[in-house]
Amino acid sequence: MAWTFRCSRTTSPGQLSTSPCRTTSSRSSPTMSCHASAASGPSTSTTISSLLRLSVAPQFLPRSLRVADLAANQVTEIFPLTFGEKPALRSVYLHNNQLSNAGLPPDAFHGSEAVVILSLSSNRLSYVPPSLPPSLERLHLQNNLISKVPRGALSRQIHLRELYLQHNQLTDSGLDATTFSKLHHLEYLDLSHNRLASVPAGLPRTLAVLHLGRNRIRGVEAARLRGARGLRYLLLQHNQLGATGLPAGALRPLRGLHTLHLYGNGLDRVPLALPRRLRALVLPHNHVTTLGARDLAGTPGLAELNLAYNRLVSARVHRRAFRPLRALRSLDLAGNLLTRLPGGLPGGLHTLRLQRNQLRALEPEPLAGLDQLRELSLAHNRLRVGDIGPGTWHELQALQVLDLGHNELSFVPPDLPEALEELHLQGNRISHVGPEAFLSTPRLRALFLRANRLHMTSIAPDAFLGLLHLSVVDTAGNPEQVLVRLPPTTPRQPWAGSPRARRSPAV
């Protein structure tokens, strides 16, 4: 016979009955429902319910218990036989309670050698309990007050695969070189939102994901990472690395590293000598001003590069800076100080983001060869139609999404790409849309013209003639309500790709 014990909040009172829970409550307190179910077959069960909010865990639960859920109560104390001596117990959920270390006895899990999931998050623990089940595979300790992991506290949990310690008060002195060294199956470790000043020592080689974001890390030492050779994802965002905290070659031991997050660290250049197999480099919100010809040459396998919201200026971006990145599919340069498109862009790009720069002109040459580009964002720049050179769009044969919103366009740019499906022109100075405006875009599905200078009859009656797929025309926020005439064969259902878009009335 297997038992499941569950105590969870309910929004309506239930029928009073006896319960194995030792509790205290008042009639004005939120109600609780406690269920202890025993099943020997699909149709056999017993349920015990109570209206009481738990402040103390039950002293005794069935020996055959498999799952215990006491989450979201006010539990401050656990007894030795609450979860102890339960050989079938697999999962214990104690998150969102008031447990301190004093309320968790040393023998709380004695005789329960099959527990694989333990959730103690959002309690009041000040250190990692030293007598946790050795069978654990997933341990949640986030959102506590933990400032240290006592020596040996995790030495028996050799099966642990996931460890969550984020949102605590851990410092370097609260860890040592043995803290994680015995966790020979650990794959996921989250230490973000703590007070660490350096990367922990003794990381296991099985580790695949390491979260260290929002700490106080000022430097990364290669020696600290040599043991974690299997690391695939390293997240170091919002630390204090500055110009010198990530020296050249510091990450070289991580030969299999796939993704590196470094945003918000005050870096003044792209780190040198990164792992050669790196696929995603995320560097927004730093202070990078320059991209040299060889800065990215050591990571030819990059598929994603995010340099948004740095301080890049066109004069300091070398014309060959991106040329080594033949595998690059996504490039984000939004929020910089670029006045022209960078040259030498890889021909395999699918997404190019250049919004919120200071672009004043578009020429065909930087976009030449980008015949796989599907999405191009040029919003929030200073572009005028006269600044877009003839043939600029000619080679963008695969372009489906073009965002030219919030520029200084006075009419729809001519000769747009034939494959275009979504065109953003909102927030410009467009006052008229002529009958020839969309002759080059027969596949257009969504058109955004809101917040321009359009009046009731500003759009020619046959402007959308031949656009058989057009289903969204957004003209809100113009001086007058705009009359839109769609071809009779146009689908009238809302377009799923833009749920916020509002179709103007058709006549």
Side-chain angles (χ1 to χ4, degrees):
M1 182 178 294
W3 284 76
T4 298
F5 183 84
R6 214 171 247 110
C7 281
S8 55
R9 248 170 232 172
T10 105
T11 54
S12 59
Q15 184 178 358
L16 279 169
S17 64
T18 58
S19 167
C21 307
R22 284 185 56 198
T23 59
T24 58
S25 72
S26 66
R27 291 187 180 273
S28 61
S29 300
T31 60
M32 295 299 306
S33 176
C34 299
H35 306 282
S37 302
S40 57
S43 60
T44 303
S45 66
T46 302
T47 302
I48 302 173
S49 299
S50 170
L51 290 178
L52 306 177
R53 174 187 288 185
L54 297 179
S55 59
V56 181
Q59 287 197 38
F60 304 100
L61 288 174
R63 180 176 171 82
S64 58
L65 189 69
R66 289 180 59 85
V67 178
D69 187 352
L70 291 171
N73 282 283
Q74 292 185 350
V75 174
T76 60
E77 187 175 1
I78 300 294
F79 297 96
L81 291 180
T82 303
F83 306 120
E85 305 300 336
K86 308 289 187 293
L89 187 60
R90 300 277 294 173
S91 305
V92 179
Y93 301 98
L94 283 165
H95 48 279
N96 294 96
N97 278 287
Q98 303 291 325
L99 270 175
S100 65
N101 289 92
L104 196 63
D107 53 353
F109 297 97
H110 179 74
S112 300
E113 307 294 331
V115 179
V116 294
I117 299 174
L118 174 58
S119 179
L120 287 165
S121 59
S122 300
N123 278 282
R124 296 183 175 181
L125 301 175
S126 58
Y127 57 88
V128 174
S131 301
L132 299 174
S135 51
L136 281 178
E137 295 181 8
R138 189 164 78 217
L139 175 58
H140 290 266
L141 291 166
Q142 65 267 34
N143 293 298
N144 276 281
L145 305 172
I146 295 172
S147 60
K148 66 177 179 178
V149 181
R151 191 175 184 88
L154 297 173
S155 61
R156 299 189 307 141
Q157 285 69 35
I158 59 174
H159 304 289
L160 196 64
R161 294 182 179 276
E162 301 175 26
L163 177 55
Y164 300 86
L165 281 164
Q166 67 268 31
H167 289 280
N168 278 288
Q169 299 175 12
L170 285 168
T171 61
D172 290 0
S173 61
L175 307 175
D176 61 41
T178 68
T179 300
F180 307 113
S181 63
K182 304 293 184 182
L183 305 179
H184 300 311
H185 290 89
L186 191 66
E187 299 174 357
Y188 187 100
L189 176 59
D190 194 339
L191 292 166
S192 61
H193 295 267
N194 277 283
R195 301 174 183 178
L196 300 174
S198 60
V199 177
L203 296 172
R205 63 181 180 181
T206 55
L207 196 62
V209 180
L210 177 58
H211 286 261
L212 288 169
R214 292 194 180 273
N215 276 279
R216 302 172 182 178
I217 297 173
R218 294 180 177 273
V220 177
E221 301 175 24
R224 293 289 180 102
L225 297 169
R226 286 199 181 100
R229 294 181 181 274
L231 201 62
R232 299 274 292 162
Y233 297 87
L234 177 57
L235 289 84
L236 283 163
Q237 67 272 19
H238 295 293
N239 277 283
Q240 301 172 16
L241 295 177
T244 60
L246 194 61
L251 303 180
R252 265 187 179 161
L254 308 179
R255 296 182 180 178
L257 193 65
H258 179 283
T259 298
L260 176 61
H261 283 220
L262 289 168
Y263 49 84
N265 268 286
L267 302 175
D268 62 359
R269 65 173 301 163
V270 175
L272 299 178
L274 294 173
R276 190 169 180 82
R277 298 177 186 175
L278 195 66
R279 296 284 291 169
L281 178 57
V282 186
L283 284 166
H285 295 281
N286 279 285
H287 303 155
V288 179
T289 60
T290 303
L291 275 181
R294 303 291 298 168
D295 285 358
L296 299 168
T299 52
L302 274 184
E304 177 188 349
L305 176 58
N306 189 332
L307 284 164
Y309 298 97
N310 276 276
R311 300 174 181 178
L312 289 170
V313 295
S314 293
R316 295 184 179 180
V317 177
H318 197 278
R319 67 183 186 279
R320 297 180 181 175
F322 302 106
R323 188 163 294 177
L325 307 181
R326 296 182 179 180
L328 197 64
R329 298 293 177 265
S330 175
L331 176 59
D332 194 338
L333 296 171
N336 279 281
L337 303 171
L338 301 174
T339 54
R340 61 178 183 269
L341 296 181
L345 297 174
L349 268 182
H350 291 171
T351 303
L352 177 58
R353 296 186 177 93
L354 286 157
Q355 66 268 27
R356 296 188 182 277
N357 276 277
Q358 298 178 9
L359 299 177
R360 295 177 178 272
L362 295 179
E363 297 295 337
E365 184 179 357
L367 297 174
L370 300 184
D371 55 3
Q372 297 182 43
L373 193 65
R374 299 171 187 172
E375 181 178 344
L376 175 59
S377 179
L378 296 164
H380 292 278
N381 279 285
R382 301 180 180 181
L383 295 171
R384 301 181 180 182
V385 174
D387 300 325
I388 302 175
T392 293
W393 319 111
H394 178 69
E395 296 197 35
L396 305 183
Q397 301 172 8
L399 194 67
Q400 298 175 345
V401 179
L402 176 59
D403 191 347
L404 287 165
H406 301 280
N407 277 280
E408 301 174 11
L409 305 176
S410 55
F411 56 90
V412 179
D415 301 320
L416 293 170
E418 183 178 349
L420 205 60
E421 297 182 3
E422 183 178 332
L423 177 59
H424 293 259
L425 293 169
Q426 66 273 14
N428 277 283
R429 303 173 180 178
I430 298 172
S431 59
H432 177 72
V433 178
E436 72 292 339
F438 304 108
L439 290 179
S440 64
T441 57
R443 303 177 189 177
L444 198 62
R445 295 177 178 272
L447 174 62
F448 300 88
L449 285 164
R450 69 165 53 216
N452 274 281
R453 299 178 179 180
L454 297 172
H455 293 269
M456 182 177 294
T457 57
S458 292
I459 299 180
D462 52 353
F464 304 129
L465 192 66
L467 302 182
L468 303 182
H469 305 285
L470 188 63
S471 58
V472 173
V473 179
D474 183 357
T475 59
N478 279 281
E480 294 180 2
Q481 185 178 25
V482 181
L483 300 180
V484 176
R485 185 184 300 274
L486 298 179
T489 55
T490 301
R492 296 304 175 98
Q493 69 274 13
W495 183 57
S498 290
R500 293 180 296 174
R502 185 177 72 83
R503 251 188 67 184
S504 297
V507 296

